[in-house]
């Protein structure tokens, strides 16, 4: 790996756990396997949970050979090396709702990060607005969740529908799924930002991680 002038390729924020309740999490896209493994190893040595997102299968194989105990979740591209046994830190359950099967990789990222941050997670998949009756069958789950993450591409209508059915916070995640006029997720993003349903917050396109982090913060509130 190429090192900077001070012979350090990364300055790991070991104090982030104390400040925010969550150790630094590595964005793996654009970083080589050795760099990711090096940062993970520093977090492990400090006794902190080590998580990396957007890690390809090829990189993960190299990293897992260098970091003992590392686990890779291929569908979400999340790599994790736990500091100890899983401990529930949330006050309730986070519900991750996915509009279509093409949106699953983003929903998987959101669900896996939620779980790794100490939250109970439940899932509802393939309940997009083209067949809204599929969502309405899950009224009990919508009411029982403490916070909901709703992942959708195309026109991005599902979060607005969900927010009209629950009194809990809804975090909308636009995906880059859709035909040409979807503009790689911009249409869904703008639709969600313009939602007339109250209680909807929106993260960036394909940002399952960001939605999970926000949901985890809400779920930890007393």
């Amino acid at each position: 790996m190429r090192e900077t002038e001070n012979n350090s390729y990364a300055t790991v924020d070991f104090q982030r756990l104390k400040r925010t309740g969550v150790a630094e999490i590595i964005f793996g896209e654009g970083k080589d396997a050795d760099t990711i493994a090096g940062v993970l190893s520093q977090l492990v040595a400090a006794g902190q949970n080590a998580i990396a997102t957007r890690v390809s299968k090829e990189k993960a194989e190299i990293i897992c050979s260098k970091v003992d105990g590392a686990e890779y979740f291929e569908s979400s591209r999340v790599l994790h090396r736990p500091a100890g046994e899983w401990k529930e830190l949330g006050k309730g359950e986070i519900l991750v709702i996915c509009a279509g099967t093409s949106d699953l990789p983003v929903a998987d990222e959101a669900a896996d990060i939620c779980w790794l941050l100490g939250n109970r997670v439940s899932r509802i998949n393939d309940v997009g607005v083209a067949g809204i009756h599929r969502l309405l069958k899950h009224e009990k789950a919508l009411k029982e969740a403490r916070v909901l993450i709703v992942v959708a591409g195309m026109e991005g209508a599902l979060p607005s529908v969900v927010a009209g059915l629950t009194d809990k916070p809804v975090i909308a995640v636009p995906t880059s799924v859709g035909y040409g006029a979807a503009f790689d997720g911009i249409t869904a993003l703008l639709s969600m930002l313009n939602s007339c349903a109250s209680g909807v917050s929106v993260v960036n396109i394909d940002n399952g991680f960001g939605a999970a982090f926000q949901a985890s913060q809400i779920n930890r509130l007393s």
Side-chain angles (χ1 to χ4, degrees), residues 146-162:
R146 196 157 192 257
V147 56
L148 300 89
I149 296 172
V150 185
V151 181
M154 296 290 189
E155 85 294 347
L158 186 61
S160 293
V161 175
V162 172

Side-chain angles (χ1 to χ4, degrees), residues 25-136:
I25 296 175
I26 305 156
F27 181 68
E29 204 166 275
K31 298 180 178 69
D32 61 45
D34 286 341
T35 297
I36 298 170
V39 177
L40 288 173
S41 296
Q42 291 184 60
L43 290 166
V44 170
Q48 299 185 8
N49 275 330
I51 300 173
T53 66
R54 302 297 174 92
V55 179
S56 68
K57 183 179 180 180
E58 293 73 23
K59 289 182 187 177
E61 291 175 351
I62 298 171
I63 295 165
C64 288
S65 71
K66 295 176 178 290
V67 181
D68 290 339
E71 304 173 278
Y72 182 59
F73 307 135
E74 186 174 349
S75 64
S76 61
R77 296 187 293 164
V78 171
L79 194 146
H80 175 232
R81 200 287 192 180
E85 292 188 5
W86 185 88
K87 180 180 179 181
E88 184 173 350
L89 301 174
K91 306 296 184 181
E93 187 172 78
I94 297 173
L95 176 60
V96 179
I97 303 174
C98 183
T101 53
S102 295
D103 304 307
L104 275 172
V106 177
D108 288 344
E109 179 182 67
D112 285 346
I113 292 295
C114 283
W115 182 77
L116 290 174
L117 295 183
N119 302 282
R120 285 185 287 114
V121 184
S122 60
R123 302 284 302 270
I124 299 175
N125 292 329
D126 198 21
V127 290
V129 296
I132 200 64
H133 62 286
R134 298 173 296 178
L135 175 67
L136 300 178

